Amino acid sequence: MPFKKRVWKQSQVIMAISNGEIAKIFREIGEFLVMENALVFKSRAYSKAADTIESAARQMNDLYQQGGLQALEKIEGVGASLAEKIEELLKTGHLRYYDRLKKKMPVKITELRAVEGLGAKNIQTLYKKLGVRTLKELERAARAGKIRSVTGF
């Protein structure tokens, strides 16, 4: 199902989502894209945008209310496509693209990435081979000795 471009009216801003929350979502999207073997530049674009958004002096909500989609597109590392995703987050509090990625790979990526040595590819392997989705499930699999049987670990 292709992503349909939505046109939002600037006055529709209703969600108070912080730059940190937007950055977290973009970082996770970048990780999910690595798991999907997407083009490297796509993953990096989300990571770079996340860094820029997180360190921005102004909240994206304020910036959008003042200058609309064009103001978001002017942010370094944020083009039209990512600006539209920010807009959707500001309008609805969630992002359909992110929801689809999470549905395909239902892992707690931020939680698992906190484990030293676990990257997106390892997380994907653990999910596919052992069904590991959370830190608690990872701990259970480790205690049961299941991880040793997985190639690459």
Side-chain angles (χ1 to χ4, degrees):
M1 182 158 105
F3 182 77
K4 291 183 181 177
K5 185 176 178 181
R6 284 193 178 180
V7 178
W8 304 99
K9 292 182 182 165
Q10 195 170 333
S11 62
Q12 289 179 315
V13 174
I14 53 172
M15 304 307 293
I17 185 167
S18 73
N19 287 1
E21 292 168 308
I22 295 169
K24 178 184 177 287
I25 290 168
F26 275 22
R27 278 196 186 88
E28 288 190 9
I29 289 172
E31 295 287 344
F32 284 124
L33 291 172
V34 169
M35 288 184 206
E36 286 191 335
N37 293 317
L39 296 172
V40 175
F41 81 89
K42 271 182 98 172
S43 173
R44 286 188 185 147
Y46 278 96
S47 295
K48 182 180 177 188
D51 291 342
T52 301
I53 291 165
E54 192 168 54
S55 64
R58 294 183 60 198
Q59 289 296 311
M60 296 299 107
N61 204 350
D62 294 339
L63 191 63
Y64 181 76
Q65 284 179 326
Q66 190 172 40
L69 189 59
Q70 295 79 18
L72 298 176
E73 290 173 354
K74 289 179 184 174
I75 300 167
E76 184 180 337
V78 175
S81 177
L82 295 181
E84 288 172 3
K85 286 175 174 58
I86 295 169
E87 181 180 50
E88 184 178 343
L89 280 165
L90 295 174
K91 295 290 186 184
T92 68
H94 63 81
L95 182 58
R96 290 174 295 155
Y97 179 62
Y98 177 59
D99 294 341
R100 282 195 303 270
L101 290 170
K102 285 194 309 183
K103 190 174 182 178
K104 278 191 217 175
M105 185 75 55
V107 297
K108 302 280 185 184
I109 192 127
T110 302
E111 183 179 292
L112 291 169
R113 279 290 272 139
V115 176
E116 188 176 338
L118 271 189
K121 291 292 187 178
N122 290 339
I123 292 168
Q124 177 187 33
T125 300
L126 289 170
Y127 172 70
K128 286 186 173 182
K129 301 286 183 181
L130 303 175
V132 171
R133 295 174 302 189
T134 66
L135 193 56
K136 190 171 269 188
E137 291 173 357
L138 176 65
E139 184 179 353
R140 256 187 257 132
R143 289 189 191 277
K146 292 179 180 179
I147 295 174
R148 279 181 253 166
S149 67
V150 178
T151 305
F153 285 90

